[in-house]
Amino acid sequence: MRILVIEDDSKVSDFIQKSLNELGHTVDLATNGKDGLFMATTERYDVMVVDRMLPEIDGLVILQTMRASGNKTPALILSAMGKVDDRVKGLRSGGDDYLVKPFAFSELLARIELLVERCSRVDVRETKLSAYDLTMDLLARKVTRGKEEIELQSREFRLLEYLLRHKGQVITRTMLLEHVWDYHFDPQTNVVDVHISRLRQKIDSGHGKKVIKTIRGSGYIVDGES
């Protein structure tokens, strides 16, 4: 799993990172809310662990901002504030689970694994994806824009599916190489750019609203309304 930990207590964050690394997981750390929000919205993570009381931007504000933009990355709130009202506020702000400090690592790990499993089950059941007037039927392997059916090659279909599944999130070139081409290294080719260009020609050409947008220096995003 790729996990983002947003925690300003270095002892806690180092402990979590070391323990998860030992299990083979990749962990990125942010020590303040501003950096954490930037990483959460520009990179793809399987799950997040978010401290509630953070410098610069509060943990709950991070979650509220993400959810408002359509980012559904599962998030575990980690906090010393453990009253019922605190936990309820955290969950209503966009947290998927709430763990009170001090905590046992075994419980933290179990909650992370359950969040990722729950999110995966939801993704499997989702068989129709959309943005603006574009619709993708995964069972029928059919893509339409308005009333027009669009024929896509296998790789183009996978590329569009990945972008639509992560609507509202900035998707980097590296993420596409890993999840669409299964490359866990950069082959130093323009394969992503070429396929994005071909896909745009098929789904955006002749339409006023563009489904795939470029975020200069970062990657691509689909933010069309469903």
Side-chain angles (χ1 to χ4, degrees):
M1 287 186 290
R2 189 179 183 199
I3 304 166
L4 173 61
V5 175
I6 310 176
E7 169 63 69
D8 63 325
D9 186 325
S10 60
K11 290 184 178 179
V12 174
S13 61
D14 289 348
F15 167 69
I16 294 174
Q17 183 179 43
K18 180 181 178 181
S19 300
L20 290 172
N21 283 162
E22 288 175 348
L23 294 172
H25 303 301
T26 300
V27 180
D28 290 343
L29 295 179
T31 57
N32 62 70
K34 183 178 179 180
D35 290 344
L37 179 59
F38 176 79
M39 294 168 70
T41 53
T42 58
E43 297 290 339
R44 164 68 176 161
Y45 294 97
D46 297 299
V47 66
M48 299 166 47
V49 177
V50 185
D51 185 22
R52 181 166 175 173
M53 301 292 289
L54 290 165
E56 298 196 45
I57 299 178
D58 180 76
L60 300 191
V61 175
I62 291 175
L63 294 174
Q64 290 167 348
T65 303
M66 290 176 59
R67 300 315 186 216
S69 69
N71 190 314
K72 298 179 182 179
T73 303
L76 170 66
I77 298 173
L78 197 61
S79 177
M81 303 171 65
K83 295 182 179 180
V84 172
D85 288 347
D86 295 324
R87 298 198 301 271
V88 170
K89 187 175 181 180
L91 295 172
R92 286 181 173 170
S93 295
D96 298 284
D97 199 355
Y98 198 109
L99 182 60
V100 178
K101 299 176 182 178
F103 59 92
F105 176 72
S106 56
E107 183 178 4
L108 174 73
L109 179 62
R111 288 173 181 264
I112 286 174
E113 291 173 341
L114 284 172
L115 284 181
V116 173
E117 181 184 356
R118 186 192 309 164
C119 182
S120 298
R121 287 201 300 265
V122 171
D123 283 345
V124 168
R125 288 197 296 265
E126 193 171 13
T127 60
K128 288 189 177 181
L129 306 170
S130 64
Y132 297 126
D133 58 342
L134 182 140
T135 302
M136 186 175 211
D137 188 325
L138 301 177
L139 295 180
R141 302 287 293 181
K142 181 179 179 181
V143 176
T144 57
R145 183 87 195 252
K147 296 181 179 180
E148 175 191 359
E149 185 171 347
I150 301 169
E151 292 187 12
L152 298 180
Q153 299 296 323
S154 176
R155 189 77 67 181
E156 294 167 345
F157 192 93
R158 289 178 60 189
L159 179 58
L160 180 60
E161 178 185 353
Y162 188 80
L163 290 168
L164 289 175
R165 280 195 181 278
H166 300 90
K167 186 167 64 174
Q169 300 177 38
V170 176
I171 304 299
T172 66
R173 183 174 181 273
T174 299
M175 293 162 63
L176 293 173
L177 285 170
E178 288 182 350
H179 294 279
V180 179
W181 278 266
D182 202 27
Y183 290 161
H184 297 285
F185 63 97
D186 189 343
Q188 297 297 315
T189 73
N190 64 344
V191 63
V192 172
D193 307 290
V194 170
H195 278 76
I196 286 286
S197 178
R198 290 175 180 171
L199 185 57
R200 277 176 164 156
Q201 285 292 321
K202 292 184 176 183
I203 68 173
D204 281 340
S205 182
H207 296 275
K209 294 183 176 179
K210 307 304 181 185
V211 171
I212 303 173
K213 297 178 175 65
T214 298
I215 305 299
R216 190 175 298 275
S218 298
Y220 305 97
I221 188 171
V222 169
D223 62 356
E225 299 174 354
S226 299

